[in-house]
Amino acid sequence: MDITTLLGIIIGIVSLILGFVLEGGKIGALIQLTAIIIVFGGTIGAVIIGTPFKKLKKVPFIIKYAFVDGKASPKETIDQLIDLSNISRREGLLALEGALHDSDNEFLKDGIQMIIDGGDAEMIQDIISRKIEKREERILSIAKVFEAAGGFAPTMGIIGTVMGLVHILGQLDDPQSLGPSIAVAFIATLYGVASANMIYLPLYNKVKARLNEEIMMMELQAEGLLSIQYGENSTILKSKLMAFLDEQEYEELTDKDVIESE
Amino acid sequence: MDITTLLGIIIGIVSLILGFVLEGGKIGALIQLTAIIIVFGGTIGAVIIGTPFKKLKKVPFIIKYAFVDGKASPKETIDQLIDLSNISRREGLLALEGALHDSDNEFLKDGIQMIIDGGDAEMIQDIISRKIEKREERILSIAKVFEAAGGFAPTMGIIGTVMGLVHILGQLDDPQSLGPSIAVAFIATLYGVASANMIYLPLYNKVKARLNEEIMMMELQAEGLLSIQYGENSTILKSKLMAFLDEQEYEELTDKDVIESE
Amino acid sequence: MDITTLLGIIIGIVSLILGFVLEGGKIGALIQLTAIIIVFGGTIGAVIIGTPFKKLKKVPFIIKYAFVDGKASPKETIDQLIDLSNISRREGLLALEGALHDSDNEFLKDGIQMIIDGGDAEMIQDIISRKIEKREERILSIAKVFEAAGGFAPTMGIIGTVMGLVHILGQLDDPQSLGPSIAVAFIATLYGVASANMIYLPLYNKVKARLNEEIMMMELQAEGLLSIQYGENSTILKSKLMAFLDEQEYEELTDKDVIESE
Amino acid sequence: MDITTLLGIIIGIVSLILGFVLEGGKIGALIQLTAIIIVFGGTIGAVIIGTPFKKLKKVPFIIKYAFVDGKASPKETIDQLIDLSNISRREGLLALEGALHDSDNEFLKDGIQMIIDGGDAEMIQDIISRKIEKREERILSIAKVFEAAGGFAPTMGIIGTVMGLVHILGQLDDPQSLGPSIAVAFIATLYGVASANMIYLPLYNKVKARLNEEIMMMELQAEGLLSIQYGENSTILKSKLMAFLDEQEYEELTDKDVIESE
Amino acid sequence: MDITTLLGIIIGIVSLILGFVLEGGKIGALIQLTAIIIVFGGTIGAVIIGTPFKKLKKVPFIIKYAFVDGKASPKETIDQLIDLSNISRREGLLALEGALHDSDNEFLKDGIQMIIDGGDAEMIQDIISRKIEKREERILSIAKVFEAAGGFAPTMGIIGTVMGLVHILGQLDDPQSLGPSIAVAFIATLYGVASANMIYLPLYNKVKARLNEEIMMMELQAEGLLSIQYGENSTILKSKLMAFLDEQEYEELTDKDVIESE
């Protein structure tokens, strides 16, 4: 569970409502059925038009993707790859199969399997690069649902408010109720802008940030796989992999003595 | 028929109108001839100026493109390509011609034909790459009609509303009718923003999403064609093609035993 | 003469004015000298500051470029290139000079001349690629005048309106005339938004669309020139060039029997 | 002196003020100290925060860059390069040093010097490419000051106006003065939008346009330098360099007989 | 300490407040708790949702990065690299270790260490390029916090103002207080626009500018390291490195006689 996604939503929404209540507003005044229908119905409609059914089905997946914590640990992965490199050099490529038996890292297992099967180095590199590229394209193409919703929601809010004003101004029978009616019309703008900026766009940002981490981890493993196939020694492998680390991780890993043997 | 395009339009428009009616508005108040002329006439004019006649003629095609369901099935295509690879290796390249006799996939048939004709591998790859690239450019250049309409419509709405205000404020004879007149002026804004965000921009998104799928399918077939030309065995071909699949498709295809013989 | 450019401008402007008149507005109310000075003077000033004199001189050219119909006919050009290829293979390179004697296509003639002069293949390709690239840069750098005008005009409209409001609100002597005065102030906004969206930006779109067609035609000819230099047979050349065509053109050309001899 | 930069500023500002005066406004009403402090102080502050001191020091240089006329004359440069090529082929590389003795073109002189020093061709090309690239980066990084100012100024204007409204609405003692007070508040918006669109953004455009010309001239000279080093004859050199010219310059140069000897 | 960051913030904020006070406003009128909660709470919430915890932890680092002065001195670094090159050619690669003993430049030291360890030239280049690339990605991914805050803050301001208006218009009991209430509602807009344009976006610009300098310094050192590994003489090295300098630095360095021996 990525606590920051939930925490951010709570902090954001509590701040908005708290500010409103402290000013003396009543929460009930913020809830209005017609604005909900216009803003959320309109946004959902616009998003559905623009998204193939195949991608729409993946919306629950992408929401989960934004909420679940990425387990990306470059340091552990580097240790694991160096271990695999050592095993491969000491006991031969076939020993790698056993070493990954318990792992649930399908990307790494498939790569190792291709190496064991004796695939051509360039071909393996091509396949791995394409997997990474297609993974990125796929996640982004689903995440576009959030981006689209974040773009359409404020305009649906404006549509709702203008519709409200059209209705109100069209029948100025009761000038007394003009103020409260306009207040109600503004609720739609509020829904549109708030849903876009508290939900859709931040979730889109989170998906992109998590995807970046995931892709970086896949590139790290791809580098390791290639090095194992070429049979490079683990000092060289370590130098290559450590270029992926930030300064802090770099120091932590340099202090440890991870390379047991060569 | 891609049901989501139509469904989305219905959900969106019903939501907007339902919200307006529930607030007590009358649908008739939303229909206004002068706003229709200004917003839709202005948008059509601006789009026509910016689009060559050759592309304008293709607008019905691109609308159909957004509504018709893409038949992209990577799994079936991978099966078909592996079948072709097996036929080619068992019975020779010439047997491929018969195998595709009934297919209506012109892209694949042309590629196979070039291989049978004994074309140079690099040349075939160049021609196929260019076909994919030109297909992408062509569809996008027509889809720009939607993008342009989505950009111009809201500004035409603003022009309509400002014109309305200029007319109203220019003759304040009857202050009583000020409210209803302003309401009428806002209808143009409503038309502009709603048509852009419920029709033009979502359709543009759909065309881009469908095009991405189509291009991905073409790249998949291009990969298969090259592999067939090089006479690679179907295990290697399968590994290459499966890099295009997402996790779910990947598992489905791994479970099946698609490779009959080598 | 590209009829769509003119037609679009007429449709657009007639729509705007018709809508205004049907609402009961008088055309005279839309014409106002001070707004013309502020909006068009301001836009011209901002564009002149940002554009070197060398590019400003080319503005009449780029306007003509947007209005004159492109003569791009990929099918005819493919026929011509295949003819040239056949001539070159039957009668030798020198015969090409005569074949192009009447043509006014300088790009093609210069290319053929370089081949006849016996230039190095790679060098000719470099020169042709650079010509295409520089042509694109040049047209775009002049077209930026429209893009800039389309960006500045609406802000000049806002400046005009705000200036009007400053003037009006600064001397509320005659509250009676407040409405008509504000109406007049809004004319500047109208000019700014309408000129940007009915003239500058659509013309910018048209120039870009025409340029794309022209560049595509140049790439088609470059491909043909290279093929002629390498002495490839016309079946191969035809396959290469037809990758540039869309589906409809493709079928038309396949049905005809353009290749007379090899 | 690039007359268009100054001319544009004069045309723009005169248009705005003339329009205002013709409407009956007094110029004095447009001058207001607090708006000047808020808009220009705020913009300067925001720009200073975002720009390293090293770049801030170069602001006078970049202003001069936008006002001084570029001396780019591709035709003269081509003549000069062909002359140098002829000298080099007739009299040897060392003779080039004398030929450039009086030139103040440091870029060309340094390039010739590297050739005379017998540098490796690939290395010289690398160094020249990097010089061009770094020049472009440097000018753009300083020009970003204008871009940033153009982005911040309108928002500072809005801040000024909102502050004014907060002040006015907070103390409605004298309803009589409401109008003039709001007029004053709008002056800040006017300053922000006008300074961005009459000064900062057009100057940014001019710097980019001039930089494009300068870079094109550098690429032209780089091409010439390489050709001289390879000892290519001046017909080939001329073909290569003329690809940089537009149609009009091309014809002018073709008519002249610039190549004296080979 | 980069004095411009702090100086800019002071100039900007003083300008805004000074302008307000000179108009007769009281500073107290600008401070309002509910707007602070809505705008800053909402912005923080939206940023937290969209940023992984790993990046959030680095916010203090990136603030420091914007305030601390970069020590980038290309001239000194070029001197140092030429010294190293001379040492390496005179005393051998191993002597480099001693020469860098006191340096705290980890990037340069690691590079030298790889050369001393006898790593393959291409591999070292790969590792160094990746380090530079990853450094850039990392800093930018943290700086996105400022970019996101700069995008969300103004919309939170709008939400705050609309909420205020909803509250005020919903209960028009006391028409007298309408003006002051609206004034208070506008404070939220003020906070949102001012915090984005005086703090978040300028700081984002500063981080990007400083990062550009840092990356340029890293590329300069990478070039030097490669040259040292290839054992190039220091004249060539100097030519290569001086392509990174601007005109002024270039002249300063040319005048000095930095190369002691070869």
Side-chain angles (χ1 to χ4, degrees):
Chain A
M1 184 69 198
D2 182 355
I3 200 66
T4 60
T5 309
L6 199 63
L7 193 74
I9 293 180
I10 291 170
I11 290 176
I13 290 179
V14 165
S15 298
L16 299 192
I17 291 175
L18 185 66
F20 184 70
V21 170
L22 284 182
E23 265 177 50
K26 283 173 195 138
I27 292 181
L30 291 178
I31 297 168
Q32 201 211 348
L33 184 65
T34 56
I36 290 173
I37 293 171
I38 291 172
V39 174
F40 293 94
T43 303
I44 289 169
V47 167
I48 286 178
I49 298 170
T51 315
F53 185 56
K54 221 171 165 178
K55 302 291 177 194
L56 281 178
K57 278 191 304 188
K58 296 281 176 69
V59 167
F61 159 76
I62 205 77
I63 291 174
K64 198 178 142 209
Y65 192 85
F67 274 90
V68 170
D69 198 11
K71 284 167 298 187
S73 164
K75 282 180 293 180
E76 281 175 27
T77 306
I78 289 178
D79 282 1
Q80 185 184 24
L81 289 166
I82 289 172
D83 282 349
L84 289 172
S85 168
N86 286 332
I87 290 170
S88 159
R89 286 166 58 89
R90 268 194 315 239
E91 308 171 31
L93 281 169
L94 285 175
L96 292 172
E97 206 160 14
L100 275 172
H101 201 267
D102 300 330
S103 168
D104 59 350
N105 183 338
E106 292 296 332
F107 180 74
L108 195 55
K109 276 165 84 174
D110 280 6
I112 291 289
Q113 191 59 51
M114 283 193 292
I115 293 174
I116 293 171
D117 290 351
D120 176 54
E122 204 184 332
M123 192 196 79
I124 293 181
Q125 190 167 11
D126 278 0
I127 291 179
I128 289 178
S129 301
R130 174 162 293 136
K131 272 191 185 177
I132 295 177
E133 186 195 326
K134 290 294 164 195
R135 173 77 180 169
E136 193 169 12
E137 282 178 14
R138 255 198 314 274
I139 300 287
L140 279 181
S141 72
I142 310 171
K144 271 192 198 309
V145 167
F146 288 145
E147 195 192 23
F152 288 126
T155 61
M156 295 302 156
I158 290 169
I159 290 175
T161 296
V162 173
M163 275 180 156
L165 293 176
V166 165
H167 174 56
I168 296 159
L169 295 170
Q171 41 176 31
L172 285 176
D173 309 331
D174 178 16
Q176 286 296 96
S177 72
L178 191 61
S181 297
I182 291 176
V184 165
F186 274 130
I187 298 286
T189 294
L190 210 57
Y191 285 179
V193 177
S195 64
N197 290 284
M198 287 310 308
I199 312 282
Y200 308 137
L201 296 177
L203 283 183
Y204 180 59
N205 286 347
K206 178 63 135 283
V207 169
K208 282 194 296 181
R210 273 214 52 201
L211 181 60
N212 273 347
E213 269 180 27
E214 194 190 338
I215 296 298
M216 194 270 268
M217 289 300 290
M218 287 173 100
E219 285 171 355
L220 181 65
Q221 292 171 38
E223 190 75 42
L225 286 170
L226 276 178
S227 184
I228 287 169
Q229 180 164 47
Y230 287 125
E232 289 174 356
N233 73 48
S234 35
T235 314
I236 291 180
L237 176 57
K238 201 185 166 193
S239 298
K240 283 186 175 177
L241 299 186
M242 283 176 69
F244 283 93
L245 297 181
D246 65 26
E247 288 67 24
Q248 191 187 326
E249 291 165 340
Y250 189 93
E251 273 172 39
E252 286 171 30
L253 206 52
T254 312
D255 296 346
K256 282 199 304 177
D257 191 9
V258 292
I259 304 170
E260 294 146 20
S261 79
E262 276 183 47
Chain B
M1 184 67 200
D2 182 355
I3 199 66
T4 60
T5 310
L6 200 64
L7 193 74
I9 293 179
I10 292 170
I11 290 176
I13 291 179
V14 165
S15 298
L16 298 192
I17 292 175
L18 186 66
F20 183 71
V21 171
L22 284 183
E23 263 179 50
K26 283 173 197 139
I27 291 180
L30 292 178
I31 296 168
Q32 200 211 347
L33 184 65
T34 56
I36 290 173
I37 292 171
I38 292 172
V39 175
F40 294 95
T43 304
I44 289 169
V47 168
I48 286 177
I49 299 169
T51 316
F53 185 56
K54 220 171 166 179
K55 303 291 176 195
L56 281 178
K57 278 191 305 188
K58 296 281 175 69
V59 166
F61 159 75
I62 205 77
I63 292 174
K64 198 178 141 208
Y65 192 85
F67 274 91
V68 169
D69 197 12
K71 283 168 299 188
S73 164
K75 281 180 295 180
E76 282 175 26
T77 305
I78 289 178
D79 282 3
Q80 187 185 23
L81 288 167
I82 289 173
D83 282 350
L84 290 172
S85 168
N86 286 331
I87 290 170
S88 159
R89 287 165 58 88
R90 266 193 317 239
E91 308 172 30
L93 280 169
L94 285 174
L96 291 172
E97 207 161 14
L100 275 173
H101 200 268
D102 300 329
S103 168
D104 59 351
N105 183 336
E106 292 296 332
F107 179 74
L108 195 54
K109 276 164 83 172
D110 279 6
I112 291 290
Q113 192 60 49
M114 283 194 292
I115 292 174
I116 293 171
D117 289 352
D120 176 53
E122 204 184 334
M123 192 197 79
I124 293 182
Q125 191 168 9
D126 278 359
I127 292 179
I128 289 178
S129 302
R130 175 163 293 137
K131 273 191 184 178
I132 295 177
E133 185 196 326
K134 289 294 163 195
R135 174 78 180 167
E136 194 168 10
E137 281 178 13
R138 257 198 311 276
I139 300 287
L140 279 181
S141 72
I142 310 171
K144 272 192 198 310
V145 167
F146 288 145
E147 196 192 20
F152 288 125
T155 60
M156 295 301 157
I158 290 169
I159 289 175
T161 296
V162 173
M163 276 181 154
L165 294 177
V166 165
H167 174 56
I168 296 160
L169 295 171
Q171 40 176 27
L172 284 177
D173 310 331
D174 178 15
Q176 285 297 95
S177 73
L178 190 62
S181 297
I182 292 176
V184 165
F186 274 130
I187 299 285
T189 294
L190 211 56
Y191 285 178
V193 177
S195 64
N197 290 284
M198 288 310 309
I199 312 284
Y200 308 136
L201 296 177
L203 284 183
Y204 180 59
N205 286 347
K206 179 63 135 283
V207 169
K208 282 192 297 180
R210 274 215 51 202
L211 182 60
N212 273 348
E213 270 181 24
E214 195 191 337
I215 296 299
M216 193 270 269
M217 289 300 291
M218 288 173 101
E219 285 171 355
L220 181 65
Q221 292 171 38
E223 190 76 40
L225 285 170
L226 276 179
S227 184
I228 287 169
Q229 180 164 46
Y230 287 126
E232 288 175 356
N233 74 50
S234 35
T235 314
I236 291 179
L237 176 57
K238 201 185 165 192
S239 298
K240 282 186 176 178
L241 298 185
M242 283 176 69
F244 283 93
L245 298 181
D246 65 27
E247 288 67 24
Q248 191 186 326
E249 292 165 340
Y250 190 93
E251 274 173 36
E252 286 170 30
L253 207 52
T254 312
D255 297 346
K256 283 200 303 177
D257 191 9
V258 292
I259 302 169
E260 293 145 21
S261 78
E262 278 184 45
Chain C
M1 183 68 200
D2 183 356
I3 198 69
T4 60
T5 308
L6 200 64
L7 193 74
I9 292 178
I10 293 169
I11 289 177
I13 290 177
V14 165
S15 298
L16 298 191
I17 291 174
L18 186 67
F20 184 72
V21 170
L22 284 183
E23 263 179 51
K26 283 173 196 139
I27 291 180
L30 292 179
I31 297 168
Q32 201 212 346
L33 184 65
T34 56
I36 290 173
I37 293 171
I38 291 172
V39 175
F40 295 95
T43 304
I44 289 169
V47 167
I48 287 177
I49 298 169
T51 316
F53 185 56
K54 219 172 169 178
K55 304 291 176 193
L56 280 178
K57 278 191 305 186
K58 297 281 175 70
V59 167
F61 160 76
I62 206 76
I63 291 175
K64 198 178 142 208
Y65 192 86
F67 274 91
V68 169
D69 198 11
K71 283 167 298 187
S73 164
K75 281 180 294 180
E76 281 175 28
T77 306
I78 289 178
D79 282 3
Q80 186 185 24
L81 289 167
I82 289 172
D83 281 349
L84 289 172
S85 169
N86 285 331
I87 290 169
S88 158
R89 286 164 59 88
R90 267 192 318 237
E91 307 171 30
L93 281 169
L94 285 174
L96 292 172
E97 205 161 15
L100 275 174
H101 200 267
D102 301 330
S103 168
D104 58 351
N105 182 336
E106 292 296 333
F107 180 73
L108 195 55
K109 276 165 82 173
D110 280 5
I112 290 290
Q113 193 59 50
M114 283 193 291
I115 292 174
I116 294 171
D117 289 351
D120 176 53
E122 205 185 333
M123 192 196 79
I124 293 183
Q125 192 167 8
D126 278 0
I127 292 179
I128 289 178
S129 301
R130 173 163 294 137
K131 273 192 184 179
I132 296 178
E133 185 196 325
K134 290 294 165 196
R135 174 78 179 167
E136 194 169 10
E137 281 177 14
R138 256 197 313 274
I139 300 286
L140 280 182
S141 72
I142 310 170
K144 272 193 200 307
V145 167
F146 289 146
E147 196 193 22
F152 288 125
T155 60
M156 295 302 158
I158 289 170
I159 289 174
T161 296
V162 172
M163 275 179 155
L165 294 177
V166 165
H167 174 55
I168 296 160
L169 295 171
Q171 40 177 30
L172 284 177
D173 309 331
D174 178 16
Q176 285 296 96
S177 73
L178 190 62
S181 296
I182 291 176
V184 165
F186 274 129
I187 299 285
T189 294
L190 211 55
Y191 285 178
V193 177
S195 63
N197 290 283
M198 287 311 307
I199 312 284
Y200 309 135
L201 296 177
L203 284 183
Y204 180 59
N205 286 347
K206 179 63 134 283
V207 170
K208 282 192 298 179
R210 272 214 54 202
L211 181 60
N212 274 347
E213 270 180 25
E214 195 191 337
I215 296 298
M216 193 271 268
M217 289 299 291
M218 288 173 101
E219 285 171 355
L220 182 65
Q221 292 170 37
E223 190 76 39
L225 285 170
L226 275 179
S227 184
I228 287 168
Q229 179 163 46
Y230 287 126
E232 289 175 355
N233 74 49
S234 38
T235 315
I236 291 179
L237 176 57
K238 201 185 165 193
S239 298
K240 282 187 176 176
L241 298 185
M242 284 176 69
F244 283 92
L245 297 180
D246 66 27
E247 288 68 23
Q248 192 187 324
E249 292 165 339
Y250 190 94
E251 276 173 34
E252 286 172 29
L253 206 53
T254 312
D255 297 345
K256 284 198 302 175
D257 190 8
V258 292
I259 302 169
E260 293 145 22
S261 78
E262 280 183 45
Chain D
M1 182 70 197
D2 183 355
I3 199 66
T4 61
T5 308
L6 199 63
L7 194 73
I9 292 178
I10 292 168
I11 290 177
I13 290 177
V14 166
S15 298
L16 298 191
I17 291 173
L18 186 66
F20 184 71
V21 170
L22 284 182
E23 263 178 50
K26 283 172 195 138
I27 291 180
L30 291 178
I31 296 167
Q32 201 211 346
L33 184 66
T34 56
I36 291 173
I37 293 172
I38 291 172
V39 174
F40 294 95
T43 304
I44 290 169
V47 168
I48 287 178
I49 298 169
T51 315
F53 184 57
K54 218 171 168 179
K55 303 292 176 192
L56 281 178
K57 277 191 304 186
K58 297 282 175 69
V59 167
F61 159 76
I62 206 77
I63 292 174
K64 197 178 144 208
Y65 192 86
F67 274 90
V68 170
D69 198 13
K71 285 167 296 186
S73 165
K75 281 180 296 181
E76 281 174 29
T77 306
I78 289 178
D79 282 1
Q80 185 184 26
L81 288 167
I82 289 171
D83 282 349
L84 289 172
S85 167
N86 286 331
I87 289 170
S88 158
R89 286 164 59 87
R90 267 193 317 239
E91 307 170 32
L93 281 170
L94 285 173
L96 292 172
E97 206 160 14
L100 275 173
H101 200 267
D102 300 331
S103 168
D104 59 350
N105 182 338
E106 292 296 333
F107 179 74
L108 195 55
K109 276 165 83 173
D110 280 6
I112 291 291
Q113 193 58 51
M114 282 194 290
I115 293 173
I116 294 171
D117 290 350
D120 176 54
E122 206 184 332
M123 193 196 79
I124 293 182
Q125 191 167 8
D126 278 359
I127 291 178
I128 289 178
S129 301
R130 173 162 294 136
K131 273 192 185 179
I132 297 177
E133 186 196 326
K134 291 295 164 195
R135 175 76 179 168
E136 194 168 11
E137 282 177 14
R138 255 197 313 274
I139 300 288
L140 280 181
S141 72
I142 309 171
K144 271 192 200 309
V145 167
F146 289 146
E147 195 192 23
F152 288 125
T155 60
M156 295 301 157
I158 290 170
I159 289 174
T161 297
V162 172
M163 275 180 155
L165 294 177
V166 164
H167 174 57
I168 296 159
L169 295 171
Q171 41 176 32
L172 284 177
D173 311 331
D174 178 15
Q176 285 296 96
S177 73
L178 190 62
S181 297
I182 292 176
V184 165
F186 274 129
I187 299 285
T189 295
L190 211 56
Y191 285 177
V193 177
S195 63
N197 290 284
M198 287 312 306
I199 312 283
Y200 308 135
L201 295 177
L203 284 183
Y204 180 60
N205 286 347
K206 179 62 133 283
V207 169
K208 281 192 298 178
R210 274 215 51 203
L211 181 60
N212 273 347
E213 269 180 26
E214 194 191 338
I215 296 298
M216 194 269 270
M217 289 300 290
M218 288 174 102
E219 285 171 355
L220 181 65
Q221 292 171 37
E223 190 75 41
L225 285 170
L226 275 179
S227 184
I228 287 169
Q229 179 164 45
Y230 287 126
E232 289 175 355
N233 74 50
S234 38
T235 315
I236 291 180
L237 176 57
K238 200 185 166 194
S239 298
K240 282 187 176 176
L241 298 185
M242 285 176 68
F244 283 92
L245 297 180
D246 67 26
E247 289 67 22
Q248 192 187 323
E249 293 165 339
Y250 190 94
E251 275 173 36
E252 286 171 29
L253 205 53
T254 312
D255 296 346
K256 285 199 300 178
D257 192 7
V258 292
I259 303 169
E260 294 145 23
S261 78
E262 280 184 46
Chain E
M1 182 70 197
D2 182 356
I3 199 68
T4 61
T5 308
L6 199 64
L7 193 73
I9 293 179
I10 291 169
I11 290 177
I13 289 178
V14 166
S15 298
L16 299 191
I17 290 174
L18 186 66
F20 184 71
V21 170
L22 284 182
E23 263 178 50
K26 283 172 196 139
I27 291 181
L30 291 178
I31 296 167
Q32 200 211 348
L33 184 65
T34 56
I36 291 173
I37 293 172
I38 292 173
V39 174
F40 294 94
T43 303
I44 290 169
V47 168
I48 287 178
I49 299 170
T51 315
F53 184 56
K54 221 171 165 178
K55 303 292 176 194
L56 282 178
K57 279 190 304 187
K58 297 281 176 70
V59 167
F61 159 75
I62 206 76
I63 291 175
K64 196 178 144 208
Y65 192 85
F67 274 90
V68 170
D69 198 12
K71 285 166 298 187
S73 163
K75 280 180 295 181
E76 282 174 28
T77 305
I78 289 177
D79 283 1
Q80 184 184 25
L81 289 167
I82 290 172
D83 282 349
L84 289 172
S85 168
N86 286 331
I87 290 170
S88 157
R89 285 165 60 87
R90 267 192 316 239
E91 308 171 31
L93 282 169
L94 285 174
L96 293 171
E97 207 161 13
L100 275 172
H101 201 267
D102 300 331
S103 168
D104 58 351
N105 183 338
E106 293 295 332
F107 180 74
L108 195 55
K109 275 165 84 173
D110 281 6
I112 291 290
Q113 192 59 50
M114 282 193 291
I115 293 173
I116 294 172
D117 290 350
D120 176 54
E122 205 184 332
M123 193 196 80
I124 293 181
Q125 190 167 10
D126 278 1
I127 291 178
I128 289 177
S129 301
R130 174 161 294 135
K131 273 192 185 177
I132 296 177
E133 185 195 326
K134 291 294 163 194
R135 174 77 180 167
E136 194 169 12
E137 282 177 14
R138 255 197 314 274
I139 301 287
L140 280 181
S141 71
I142 309 171
K144 271 192 198 310
V145 167
F146 288 146
E147 195 191 23
F152 288 125
T155 60
M156 296 301 157
I158 290 170
I159 289 174
T161 297
V162 173
M163 275 181 157
L165 294 176
V166 164
H167 174 56
I168 296 158
L169 295 171
Q171 41 177 33
L172 286 177
D173 309 332
D174 178 16
Q176 285 295 96
S177 72
L178 190 62
S181 297
I182 292 176
V184 164
F186 273 130
I187 299 285
T189 294
L190 211 57
Y191 285 178
V193 177
S195 63
N197 289 285
M198 287 312 306
I199 312 281
Y200 308 136
L201 296 176
L203 284 183
Y204 180 59
N205 286 347
K206 180 60 135 285
V207 169
K208 282 193 298 180
R210 274 214 51 203
L211 181 60
N212 273 347
E213 268 179 27
E214 193 191 339
I215 295 298
M216 195 269 268
M217 289 300 291
M218 287 173 100
E219 285 170 354
L220 181 65
Q221 292 171 37
E223 191 75 41
L225 285 170
L226 276 178
S227 185
I228 287 169
Q229 180 163 46
Y230 287 126
E232 289 175 356
N233 73 48
S234 36
T235 315
I236 291 180
L237 176 58
K238 199 184 167 194
S239 299
K240 283 186 175 177
L241 298 185
M242 284 176 68
F244 284 93
L245 297 181
D246 66 26
E247 289 66 23
Q248 191 188 324
E249 292 165 339
Y250 190 93
E251 275 172 37
E252 286 171 29
L253 206 53
T254 313
D255 296 347
K256 285 198 300 177
D257 193 8
V258 292
I259 303 169
E260 295 146 21
S261 78
E262 275 183 49

